[in-house]
Amino acid sequence: MNKFREDIDEEFGPEPELKVKSEKIKTEKVKSEDDKKFSETFIGKFFNEGVISKEAATDALPFLCFLALLGMIYIANSHFAVNNVRRIDKLNKEVKELRWEYKSLKADLMFKSKLTEVAKKVDTLGIKELIEPPKKLIVKSNEY
């Protein structure tokens, strides 16, 4: 009721209430095509049928963005871990190859440092292997 018209209402009686026709207002004509497409999708039905209101969805938006960020960090971390594993495997293969190369070079050096192999190599220079044992030099204490 109108507070300013209290004294008038007493003279003439209460105002008559307007009755609204029970015909349904066609809202489909008012809706745009985008709204129709949205209401036909699963997400549109999910929001329009009252399971989650639009206000609740907008309130939860920061949390959903946080979850998306965590998901991206999780994916990036897994990619980083896979790359580390690949790099470690590559380095392990390289270490094995270098170890094999070291062992083969060491064996080759041991073979080339044998007396007979050294004698064959220096024979071209005119140096020959001793046949008789070396002589001992004895120095007396008073001669020194």
Side-chain angles (χ1 to χ4, degrees):
M1 292 296 215
N2 194 345
K3 292 182 181 179
F4 298 110
R5 298 183 69 189
E6 289 180 10
D7 43 316
I8 297 173
D9 286 340
E10 292 174 4
E11 293 176 11
F12 298 107
E15 291 181 11
E17 294 183 16
L18 296 175
K19 293 184 180 179
V20 179
K21 293 183 181 180
S22 62
E23 294 179 12
K24 293 183 179 179
I25 301 172
K26 296 184 179 180
T27 58
E28 293 177 2
K29 292 180 181 176
V30 177
K31 289 184 179 180
S32 67
E33 291 181 19
D34 293 336
D35 290 340
K36 287 181 184 179
K37 289 180 183 177
F38 180 72
S39 65
E40 291 174 0
T41 63
F42 173 75
I43 296 173
K45 289 179 183 178
F46 192 69
F47 287 125
N48 289 338
E49 291 178 4
V51 177
I52 296 177
S53 66
K54 290 180 182 178
E55 292 81 19
T58 53
D59 289 343
L61 192 61
F63 180 68
L64 293 176
C65 291
F66 175 71
L67 288 180
L69 178 70
L70 284 180
M72 288 188 290
I73 290 172
Y74 178 74
I75 291 169
N77 188 27
S78 65
H79 283 290
F80 182 71
V82 167
N83 286 337
N84 277 345
V85 168
R86 286 181 184 160
R87 191 172 48 128
I88 288 170
D89 288 341
K90 183 179 176 183
L91 290 175
N92 280 337
K93 287 179 183 178
E94 187 177 345
V95 166
K96 283 181 183 180
E97 289 177 7
L98 290 173
R99 187 177 294 139
W100 293 335
E101 186 178 351
Y102 165 74
K103 287 181 181 179
S104 65
L105 288 175
K106 185 177 177 184
D108 191 33
L109 179 66
M110 293 296 283
F111 178 73
K112 288 181 179 179
S113 64
K114 285 184 180 179
L115 183 62
T116 56
E117 291 299 316
V118 172
K120 287 179 188 176
K121 294 284 184 183
V122 295
D123 191 31
T124 59
L125 298 173
I127 302 174
K128 295 187 179 182
E129 187 179 350
L130 288 177
I131 299 172
E132 55 187 54
K135 296 179 182 177
K136 278 187 178 180
L137 298 175
I138 300 174
V139 179
K140 295 180 182 175
S141 61
N142 58 1
E143 292 178 4
Y144 178 67

